[in-house]
Structures are given as structure tokens and as C-alpha cells.
Amino acid sequence: MAEKSPRPPFRADHVGSLLRPPELKDARIKAKRGEITSGALRQVEDKCIREVVAFQESVGLQSITDGEYRRDWWHIDFLRGFDGVETIAGRTFGVQFQGADEQPPLMKVKARIRRTRPSMVDHFKFLKSVTRRTPKFCMPSPAMLHARGDREALRRTYPDLAQFWADLTQAYREEIRDLYQSGCRYLQIDDTTIAMMGDPKVQDTFRKLGDDPKKDTAMYAEAVNQAIRDVPDDMTVCVHTCRGNFMSTWLASGSYDFVAETAFTQLEVDGFFLEYDTDRAGGFEPLRYVPKGKKVVLGLISSKFPALEKKDDLRRRIEAAAKFVPLENLCISPQCGFSSTHHGNKMTVEDQRRKLALALEVAQDVWGTQ
């Protein structure tokens, strides 16, 4: 009899964002120009989310997201839902996406952070209403506002950094509380800092800001822990980390060695989604720090490029990872989403389907379940 996973992450899972259809892209452009109302845009979003939910279900996935169809940027849109957060036009993070003309804008803390209204609870409520499978909500790590934020503005607003973290993680706890009350039982925290800190260039960028990259890693892990400290036992929380995902480009290279002991042992989560689709991620040896019983979702399948991985190669890599984490605690997924921003990666919807189906096929072969 095939094994049934009692709770997520599932043997074949995915990170969350999916390619935006042309209809949705066009509607968002028109809404920004003032050519259609926000209500009209919402109607298009609702329609397209119903369709992408049906797409995921038809592929066979158990975890279902809204594809992040209501967002332009995976991290910025959520954080701007809190009072005191805005973006700075024309300014970007110190490390650049390789070969990309456009870069994500820098965030700015302009005033004390407060959650006076939900950020994206309504997004989850709609998702839950249109699927009978496990709806997953994805949110950026609180670390992203510090790592990708303007430090001068942050120091002006928060001379005491501890107060910044207290206010920000309180806002997170309030959002997570309302998500839970709305029925969310599967939460993913997206945090690129864990993987990116393995890159010497990124480390140098943080040192130039006056930081110690090792201490930042511990500080960021504690911020996540404070954000999720009140999560009930029946909510699964996983952290996803990668080295950047924007129009099929990337920000960083380097193994997990630099951060593994701190990140894997200190983060109080149920599992880790880890980028492992290229040599840029290094080997599986850092997985030796993953605490007993925690799940590791191996991001072995590229969401950046259409070439389909070979099942035998994926099975061999799972066997290699199982030397450090027991096979029963491993899962498989693409290394990141297919469209972390509204731009999308350079592949087709059919490529996306084939990649997700491959994860399911390999999971069935290796574990006897999806």
C-alpha cells in the first residue's frame, strides 16, 4: 500500500509561484494605467487563480497555491501591506541579478511598522474557497526587509534595531494568527538570505554595510522564530531558500556550508525547501546539520530553464542526499517558483507542467507516494 503523508511538505511539492497568463498581465498593466478599476482587476485575478488551481490539481499536486497571481514581487507586495514600508524607485540591492536589465527595487522603512489591516489574508481565503486539497500560503521572511532594505532610512526610523525586529515580528504574528483562523495549515517562509550568504560577494556586501554575515544569519533565524513563535502545532511551517530567481537569472553562488550549522539548527521550522538544481548550491554535506525528524525538500528540478531533468539523475541525487538526511525525511520539488515576480521565468506553461509532473513521477518511484 502506498504511503500517505499525514501532513505537508508532500513527497512532491512546489515552491508556489507560477507563470502568469497573458490575460492577467494585460489586466495588471491596464489597472496601473487607470484604464480599468481595481475591482475589474480583481475579477481577472479570481478567474485566473481558479484556472491555475485547476492546473495544479490536474497535474496531481497535493499542495495548492494561488500562483502568487495577485503579486508583482514575491516579497515586496507582502511587506508593503504593513504600515511604514515603501519602495525606493531606482535603487536596488547591492548584489545584482546576473544578465538582467531590470532589478528589484530597494525597500524603505519610513515609519514605525504596524499592521493596521491584513496584508494578504484575503488572498488565502479565496484560495481555500477554490480547492479541496491543501492550500499553501507563501510569505517572505521578515529578514528580507532588513537584507533588502535601505539601511540609512532604517537607522533613522529605528535607532534601536531590537525595536525594529519587535515591531516587524509582531506584525507577522498578527498576520499568521489571522491566516490560521482562516484555515491555513501550511505556511512557507521564503528567505533568500540563508542560501545567498554562502557567496563571498554577498558577504562582502553585508560587511560594507557594517554587518557581520555570520551574526546576520543568526539574527535572521531568530526573526523567523519570533514571527512564528505562536504557531499552533497543527500548522506546518517550512522555510524556502534559494540564490535568487528573477527572469531565469540568479543573484548568488555558494554552498550552504557558511550558514548551515546556524540556519539548520536554530530555525524552529518543520522543514526546509532547498535549492539544489545546479553546482552553484554545492554538495549535500551541509545537510548533516539538519535536526533529526525535520523534512528537507530537495529543489533538484530547475524552474529557470525548460530542459527536463532525467529521472535516473534525480534518483541518484536523492540517494546521495539520503547519506545525510534519512530518505523518509526527504521530498522533491523545483528549486524555486516559476514566476517569483510578475515577469516570469523563460519557459512555457507546458514546460512548467512537465517539471511539476516530473517531481510527482520521481516521488512515486522513490517513496511509493506523491
Side-chain angles (χ1 to χ4, degrees):
M1 181 179 296
E3 172 201 0
K4 295 295 182 182
S5 178
R7 61 188 291 175
F10 299 99
R11 292 300 183 194
D13 218 309
H14 68 125
V15 171
S17 67
L18 297 163
L19 295 171
R20 275 51 156 189
E23 178 184 7
L24 178 58
K25 290 185 176 184
D26 291 344
R28 179 152 286 119
I29 290 170
K30 289 177 180 177
K32 288 179 179 179
R33 291 173 178 168
E35 296 172 8
I36 63 173
T37 66
S38 59
L41 173 61
R42 184 100 184 177
Q43 289 180 353
V44 176
E45 291 173 341
D46 290 352
K47 172 181 178 291
C48 291
I49 289 169
R50 287 190 179 94
E51 291 171 352
V52 84
V53 165
F55 165 80
Q56 293 168 79
E57 292 176 348
S58 72
V59 173
L61 293 167
Q62 293 303 309
S63 67
I64 305 297
T65 74
D66 64 1
E68 301 184 6
Y69 275 15
R70 301 192 199 275
R71 307 186 202 185
D72 277 344
W73 303 89
W74 65 275
H75 56 314
I76 294 172
D77 294 56
F78 179 87
L79 287 162
R80 280 195 307 204
F82 299 144
D83 294 357
V85 181
E86 62 180 23
T87 54
I88 306 174
R91 290 192 58 192
T92 64
F93 180 55
V95 180
Q96 302 292 300
F97 278 94
Q98 304 297 311
D101 294 331
E102 185 177 355
Q103 301 289 331
L106 197 67
M107 288 178 286
K108 176 182 178 180
V109 178
K110 65 176 181 177
R112 287 283 297 272
I113 296 168
R114 293 286 185 269
R115 180 184 179 269
T116 56
R117 62 194 182 285
S119 178
M120 292 187 174
V121 174
D122 60 330
H123 297 198
F124 176 79
K125 287 180 177 178
F126 182 81
L127 171 65
K128 188 174 185 296
S129 75
V130 295
T131 184
R132 292 188 175 183
R133 298 188 185 172
T134 303
K136 176 166 74 168
F137 185 79
C138 307
M139 65 170 61
S141 165
M144 301 310 300
L145 187 55
H146 184 270
R148 304 259 190 112
D150 179 69
R151 292 298 177 79
E152 292 181 8
L154 180 60
R155 282 190 288 268
R156 286 196 300 270
T157 305
Y158 283 102
D160 179 4
L161 188 61
Q163 189 61 55
F164 162 74
W165 289 119
D167 287 352
L168 181 58
T169 57
Q170 175 63 28
Y172 266 77
R173 286 192 294 275
E174 292 171 8
E175 184 79 5
I176 293 170
R177 175 202 63 205
D178 288 355
L179 284 165
Y180 181 85
Q181 291 175 354
S182 299
C184 180
R185 297 298 181 269
Y186 190 10
L187 180 67
Q188 179 178 296
I189 308 289
D190 294 315
D191 185 336
T192 65
T193 64
I194 296 169
M196 286 176 55
M197 282 296 189
D199 190 324
K201 292 183 297 184
V202 175
Q203 295 169 25
D204 288 344
T205 296
F206 278 82
R207 290 190 185 101
K208 289 175 182 176
L209 292 170
D211 290 12
D212 178 331
K214 284 280 189 181
K215 290 181 180 178
D216 276 1
T217 301
M219 179 173 66
Y220 293 161
E222 179 59 20
V224 172
N225 291 342
Q226 288 301 309
I228 65 173
R229 73 181 189 193
D230 299 333
V231 165
D233 290 341
D234 62 340
M235 175 185 264
T236 295
V237 181
C238 291
V239 161
H240 162 255
T241 188
C242 73
R243 292 158 182 80
N245 184 55
F246 176 57
M247 298 173 67
S248 294
T249 64
W250 47 274
L251 270 173
S253 296
S255 77
Y256 293 97
D257 290 277
F258 185 80
V259 299
E261 184 172 9
T262 298
F264 294 154
T265 62
Q266 292 187 19
L267 278 165
E268 297 169 2
V269 296
D270 300 299
F272 301 91
F273 281 71
L274 301 177
E275 176 184 358
Y276 264 120
D277 63 319
T278 70
D279 293 341
R280 288 188 299 105
F284 295 121
E285 290 80 6
L287 298 182
R288 67 187 182 275
Y289 290 111
V290 174
K292 183 178 179 181
K294 293 197 175 184
K295 297 289 184 68
V296 172
V297 185
L298 298 169
L300 301 175
I301 298 169
S302 173
S303 67
K304 296 181 186 295
F305 306 109
L308 196 65
E309 291 78 2
K310 296 178 180 178
K311 285 199 282 187
D312 287 346
D313 291 342
L314 296 175
R315 285 193 290 260
R316 280 194 291 269
R317 298 204 69 201
I318 292 170
E319 291 171 2
K323 296 177 181 178
F324 303 98
V325 174
L327 184 63
E328 62 267 24
N329 290 338
L330 295 175
C331 308
I332 186 172
S333 76
Q335 104 286 350
C336 197
F338 292 89
S339 189
S340 297
T341 71
H342 65 88
H343 312 77
N345 285 343
K346 297 176 182 178
M347 60 172 61
T348 66
V349 172
E350 184 55 32
D351 294 329
Q352 179 177 255
R353 175 186 288 275
R354 290 163 60 234
K355 296 274 185 170
L356 294 171
L358 177 62
L360 289 157
E361 291 168 12
V362 172
Q364 186 67 50
D365 290 349
V366 173
W367 293 283
T369 185
Q370 301 173 343

mmCIF file of all heavy atoms in Angstrom, residues 108-133:
data_model
loop_
_atom_site.group_PDB
_atom_site.id
_atom_site.type_symbol
_atom_site.label_atom_id
_atom_site.label_comp_id
_atom_site.label_asym_id
_atom_site.label_seq_id
_atom_site.Cartn_x
_atom_site.Cartn_y
_atom_site.Cartn_z
ATOM 1 N N LYS A 108 12.164 50.434 1.865
ATOM 2 C CA LYS A 108 12.497 51.500 2.814
ATOM 3 C C LYS A 108 11.509 51.478 3.978
ATOM 4 O O LYS A 108 10.296 51.378 3.776
ATOM 5 C CB LYS A 108 12.423 52.857 2.106
ATOM 6 C CG LYS A 108 12.651 54.056 3.006
ATOM 7 C CD LYS A 108 12.503 55.353 2.210
ATOM 8 C CE LYS A 108 12.669 56.582 3.086
ATOM 9 N NZ LYS A 108 12.518 57.831 2.302
ATOM 10 N N VAL A 109 12.045 51.547 5.184
ATOM 11 C CA VAL A 109 11.217 51.675 6.376
ATOM 12 C C VAL A 109 11.120 53.163 6.699
ATOM 13 O O VAL A 109 12.076 53.772 7.180
ATOM 14 C CB VAL A 109 11.812 50.897 7.565
ATOM 15 C CG1 VAL A 109 10.943 51.086 8.807
ATOM 16 C CG2 VAL A 109 11.945 49.416 7.228
ATOM 17 N N LYS A 110 9.997 53.762 6.416
ATOM 18 C CA LYS A 110 9.838 55.223 6.549
ATOM 19 C C LYS A 110 9.205 55.636 7.868
ATOM 20 O O LYS A 110 9.236 56.814 8.240
ATOM 21 C CB LYS A 110 8.996 55.751 5.392
ATOM 22 C CG LYS A 110 7.554 55.237 5.395
ATOM 23 C CD LYS A 110 6.724 55.867 4.296
ATOM 24 C CE LYS A 110 5.283 55.362 4.325
ATOM 25 N NZ LYS A 110 4.440 56.015 3.302
ATOM 26 N N ALA A 111 8.580 54.656 8.574
ATOM 27 C CA ALA A 111 7.915 54.960 9.836
ATOM 28 C C ALA A 111 7.792 53.676 10.643
ATOM 29 O O ALA A 111 8.094 52.588 10.141
ATOM 30 C CB ALA A 111 6.531 55.573 9.580
ATOM 31 N N ARG A 112 7.376 53.795 11.899
ATOM 32 C CA ARG A 112 7.204 52.609 12.737
ATOM 33 C C ARG A 112 6.286 51.608 12.041
ATOM 34 O O ARG A 112 5.251 51.962 11.458
ATOM 35 C CB ARG A 112 6.604 53.005 14.085
ATOM 36 C CG ARG A 112 7.552 53.728 15.027
ATOM 37 C CD ARG A 112 8.540 52.784 15.695
ATOM 38 N NE ARG A 112 7.919 51.798 16.539
ATOM 39 C CZ ARG A 112 7.631 51.958 17.836
ATOM 40 N NH1 ARG A 112 7.867 53.117 18.428
ATOM 41 N NH2 ARG A 112 7.099 50.963 18.531
ATOM 42 N N ILE A 113 6.666 50.349 12.099
ATOM 43 C CA ILE A 113 5.930 49.292 11.415
ATOM 44 C C ILE A 113 4.739 48.861 12.268
ATOM 45 O O ILE A 113 4.882 48.541 13.448
ATOM 46 C CB ILE A 113 6.849 48.088 11.129
ATOM 47 C CG1 ILE A 113 7.965 48.498 10.166
ATOM 48 C CG2 ILE A 113 6.047 46.919 10.568
ATOM 49 C CD1 ILE A 113 9.074 47.488 10.041
ATOM 50 N N ARG A 114 3.571 48.871 11.639
ATOM 51 C CA ARG A 114 2.344 48.434 12.301
ATOM 52 C C ARG A 114 1.495 47.659 11.291
ATOM 53 O O ARG A 114 1.527 47.932 10.092
ATOM 54 C CB ARG A 114 1.539 49.636 12.803
ATOM 55 C CG ARG A 114 2.209 50.423 13.925
ATOM 56 C CD ARG A 114 2.148 49.668 15.247
ATOM 57 N NE ARG A 114 2.692 50.462 16.344
ATOM 58 C CZ ARG A 114 3.958 50.453 16.732
ATOM 59 N NH1 ARG A 114 4.840 49.692 16.079
ATOM 60 N NH2 ARG A 114 4.362 51.193 17.751
ATOM 61 N N ARG A 115 0.730 46.725 11.780
ATOM 62 C CA ARG A 115 -0.250 46.026 10.938
ATOM 63 C C ARG A 115 -1.629 46.534 11.338
ATOM 64 O O ARG A 115 -2.242 46.039 12.268
ATOM 65 C CB ARG A 115 -0.145 44.516 11.127
ATOM 66 C CG ARG A 115 -1.155 43.714 10.277
ATOM 67 C CD ARG A 115 -1.034 42.225 10.615
ATOM 68 N NE ARG A 115 -1.962 41.389 9.885
ATOM 69 C CZ ARG A 115 -3.188 41.048 10.302
ATOM 70 N NH1 ARG A 115 -3.653 41.527 11.460
ATOM 71 N NH2 ARG A 115 -3.947 40.252 9.572
ATOM 72 N N THR A 116 -2.100 47.527 10.633
ATOM 73 C CA THR A 116 -3.410 48.098 10.936
ATOM 74 C C THR A 116 -4.519 47.441 10.115
ATOM 75 O O THR A 116 -5.699 47.722 10.333
ATOM 76 C CB THR A 116 -3.407 49.614 10.667
ATOM 77 O OG1 THR A 116 -3.002 49.852 9.311
ATOM 78 C CG2 THR A 116 -2.450 50.318 11.617
ATOM 79 N N ARG A 117 -4.117 46.581 9.188
ATOM 80 C CA ARG A 117 -5.074 45.832 8.372
ATOM 81 C C ARG A 117 -4.350 44.570 7.885
ATOM 82 O O ARG A 117 -3.116 44.553 7.844
ATOM 83 C CB ARG A 117 -5.548 46.661 7.173
ATOM 84 C CG ARG A 117 -4.417 47.031 6.238
ATOM 85 C CD ARG A 117 -4.792 48.117 5.255
ATOM 86 N NE ARG A 117 -3.693 48.420 4.341
ATOM 87 C CZ ARG A 117 -2.604 49.120 4.669
ATOM 88 N NH1 ARG A 117 -2.453 49.578 5.910
ATOM 89 N NH2 ARG A 117 -1.663 49.364 3.774
ATOM 90 N N PRO A 118 -5.070 43.541 7.500
ATOM 91 C CA PRO A 118 -4.404 42.344 6.968
ATOM 92 C C PRO A 118 -3.615 42.668 5.711
ATOM 93 O O PRO A 118 -4.011 43.529 4.920
ATOM 94 C CB PRO A 118 -5.567 41.395 6.672
ATOM 95 C CG PRO A 118 -6.678 41.868 7.547
ATOM 96 C CD PRO A 118 -6.520 43.353 7.626
ATOM 97 N N SER A 119 -2.496 41.977 5.524
ATOM 98 C CA SER A 119 -1.710 42.167 4.308
ATOM 99 C C SER A 119 -2.268 41.326 3.173
ATOM 100 O O SER A 119 -2.615 41.845 2.118
ATOM 101 C CB SER A 119 -0.242 41.813 4.550
ATOM 102 O OG SER A 119 0.510 41.956 3.360
ATOM 103 N N MET A 120 -2.372 40.005 3.402
ATOM 104 C CA MET A 120 -2.825 39.123 2.321
ATOM 105 C C MET A 120 -3.744 37.998 2.802
ATOM 106 O O MET A 120 -3.854 36.972 2.142
ATOM 107 C CB MET A 120 -1.610 38.520 1.595
ATOM 108 C CG MET A 120 -0.801 39.529 0.806
ATOM 109 S SD MET A 120 0.492 38.746 -0.185
ATOM 110 C CE MET A 120 1.120 40.162 -1.095
ATOM 111 N N VAL A 121 -4.388 38.182 3.926
ATOM 112 C CA VAL A 121 -5.287 37.143 4.437
ATOM 113 C C VAL A 121 -6.400 36.847 3.436
ATOM 114 O O VAL A 121 -6.801 35.699 3.241
ATOM 115 C CB VAL A 121 -5.866 37.543 5.808
ATOM 116 C CG1 VAL A 121 -6.918 36.540 6.270
ATOM 117 C CG2 VAL A 121 -4.746 37.640 6.843
ATOM 118 N N ASP A 122 -6.901 37.899 2.777
ATOM 119 C CA ASP A 122 -7.971 37.685 1.805
ATOM 120 C C ASP A 122 -7.499 36.849 0.622
ATOM 121 O O ASP A 122 -8.285 36.120 0.011
ATOM 122 C CB ASP A 122 -8.549 39.018 1.322
ATOM 123 C CG ASP A 122 -7.527 39.913 0.654
ATOM 124 O OD1 ASP A 122 -6.336 39.835 1.018
ATOM 125 O OD2 ASP A 122 -7.912 40.689 -0.244
ATOM 126 N N HIS A 123 -6.196 36.933 0.280
ATOM 127 C CA HIS A 123 -5.658 36.084 -0.784
ATOM 128 C C HIS A 123 -5.829 34.619 -0.404
ATOM 129 O O HIS A 123 -6.228 33.792 -1.224
ATOM 130 C CB HIS A 123 -4.169 36.369 -1.001
ATOM 131 C CG HIS A 123 -3.864 37.755 -1.458
ATOM 132 N ND1 HIS A 123 -2.652 38.084 -2.036
ATOM 133 C CD2 HIS A 123 -4.582 38.902 -1.430
ATOM 134 C CE1 HIS A 123 -2.646 39.371 -2.337
ATOM 135 N NE2 HIS A 123 -3.798 39.878 -1.968
ATOM 136 N N PHE A 124 -5.488 34.296 0.841
ATOM 137 C CA PHE A 124 -5.596 32.908 1.278
ATOM 138 C C PHE A 124 -7.060 32.465 1.336
ATOM 139 O O PHE A 124 -7.383 31.333 0.940
ATOM 140 C CB PHE A 124 -4.945 32.702 2.644
ATOM 141 C CG PHE A 124 -5.143 31.293 3.139
ATOM 142 C CD1 PHE A 124 -4.357 30.262 2.652
ATOM 143 C CD2 PHE A 124 -6.163 30.987 4.029
ATOM 144 C CE1 PHE A 124 -4.575 28.952 3.053
ATOM 145 C CE2 PHE A 124 -6.389 29.680 4.437
ATOM 146 C CZ PHE A 124 -5.585 28.663 3.949
ATOM 147 N N LYS A 125 -7.918 33.302 1.833
ATOM 148 C CA LYS A 125 -9.331 32.918 1.944
ATOM 149 C C LYS A 125 -9.904 32.530 0.586
ATOM 150 O O LYS A 125 -10.639 31.540 0.470
ATOM 151 C CB LYS A 125 -10.144 34.066 2.546
ATOM 152 C CG LYS A 125 -9.908 34.283 4.026
ATOM 153 C CD LYS A 125 -10.762 35.445 4.536
ATOM 154 C CE LYS A 125 -10.612 35.652 6.036
ATOM 155 N NZ LYS A 125 -11.416 36.813 6.517
ATOM 156 N N PHE A 126 -9.562 33.304 -0.434
ATOM 157 C CA PHE A 126 -10.062 32.963 -1.762
ATOM 158 C C PHE A 126 -9.471 31.643 -2.231
ATOM 159 O O PHE A 126 -10.187 30.783 -2.768
ATOM 160 C CB PHE A 126 -9.745 34.065 -2.775
ATOM 161 C CG PHE A 126 -10.290 33.773 -4.143
ATOM 162 C CD1 PHE A 126 -11.622 34.034 -4.435
ATOM 163 C CD2 PHE A 126 -9.498 33.205 -5.130
ATOM 164 C CE1 PHE A 126 -12.148 33.742 -5.697
ATOM 165 C CE2 PHE A 126 -10.009 32.907 -6.380
ATOM 166 C CZ PHE A 126 -11.341 33.180 -6.673
ATOM 167 N N LEU A 127 -8.167 31.464 -2.045
ATOM 168 C CA LEU A 127 -7.533 30.207 -2.446
ATOM 169 C C LEU A 127 -8.213 29.022 -1.777
ATOM 170 O O LEU A 127 -8.537 28.022 -2.439
ATOM 171 C CB LEU A 127 -6.042 30.236 -2.091
ATOM 172 C CG LEU A 127 -5.288 28.908 -2.255
ATOM 173 C CD1 LEU A 127 -5.257 28.489 -3.721
ATOM 174 C CD2 LEU A 127 -3.878 29.024 -1.681
ATOM 175 N N LYS A 128 -8.426 29.097 -0.492
ATOM 176 C CA LYS A 128 -9.035 27.983 0.240
ATOM 177 C C LYS A 128 -10.432 27.678 -0.285
ATOM 178 O O LYS A 128 -10.872 26.511 -0.283
ATOM 179 C CB LYS A 128 -9.094 28.302 1.736
ATOM 180 C CG LYS A 128 -9.536 27.125 2.613
ATOM 181 C CD LYS A 128 -9.439 27.478 4.082
ATOM 182 C CE LYS A 128 -9.754 26.262 4.946
ATOM 183 N NZ LYS A 128 -11.144 25.790 4.769
ATOM 184 N N SER A 129 -11.123 28.706 -0.753
ATOM 185 C CA SER A 129 -12.505 28.509 -1.220
ATOM 186 C C SER A 129 -12.579 27.788 -2.563
ATOM 187 O O SER A 129 -13.652 27.322 -2.956
ATOM 188 C CB SER A 129 -13.214 29.862 -1.327
ATOM 189 O OG SER A 129 -12.778 30.600 -2.473
ATOM 190 N N VAL A 130 -11.440 27.702 -3.288
ATOM 191 C CA VAL A 130 -11.491 27.129 -4.637
ATOM 192 C C VAL A 130 -10.679 25.838 -4.773
ATOM 193 O O VAL A 130 -10.458 25.369 -5.891
ATOM 194 C CB VAL A 130 -11.025 28.157 -5.695
ATOM 195 C CG1 VAL A 130 -11.993 29.327 -5.749
ATOM 196 C CG2 VAL A 130 -9.609 28.647 -5.437
ATOM 197 N N THR A 131 -10.246 25.250 -3.654
ATOM 198 C CA THR A 131 -9.584 23.945 -3.731
ATOM 199 C C THR A 131 -9.984 23.084 -2.544
ATOM 200 O O THR A 131 -10.229 23.602 -1.447
ATOM 201 C CB THR A 131 -8.048 24.077 -3.761
ATOM 202 O OG1 THR A 131 -7.460 22.783 -3.924
ATOM 203 C CG2 THR A 131 -7.504 24.715 -2.490
ATOM 204 N N ARG A 132 -10.018 21.773 -2.783
ATOM 205 C CA ARG A 132 -10.266 20.822 -1.701
ATOM 206 C C ARG A 132 -8.973 20.177 -1.221
ATOM 207 O O ARG A 132 -8.984 19.390 -0.284
ATOM 208 C CB ARG A 132 -11.245 19.738 -2.161
ATOM 209 C CG ARG A 132 -12.663 20.242 -2.402
ATOM 210 C CD ARG A 132 -13.611 19.091 -2.660
ATOM 211 N NE ARG A 132 -14.996 19.544 -2.767
ATOM 212 C CZ ARG A 132 -16.039 18.737 -2.940
ATOM 213 N NH1 ARG A 132 -15.839 17.423 -3.031
ATOM 214 N NH2 ARG A 132 -17.253 19.225 -3.018
ATOM 215 N N ARG A 133 -7.893 20.512 -1.874
ATOM 216 C CA ARG A 133 -6.598 19.981 -1.452
ATOM 217 C C ARG A 133 -5.967 20.928 -0.440
ATOM 218 O O ARG A 133 -6.642 21.807 0.095
ATOM 219 C CB ARG A 133 -5.721 19.740 -2.679
ATOM 220 C CG ARG A 133 -6.363 18.697 -3.589
ATOM 221 C CD ARG A 133 -5.494 18.242 -4.717
ATOM 222 N NE ARG A 133 -6.238 17.338 -5.600
ATOM 223 C CZ ARG A 133 -5.800 16.883 -6.756
ATOM 224 N NH1 ARG A 133 -4.583 17.251 -7.200
ATOM 225 N NH2 ARG A 133 -6.534 16.075 -7.483
#
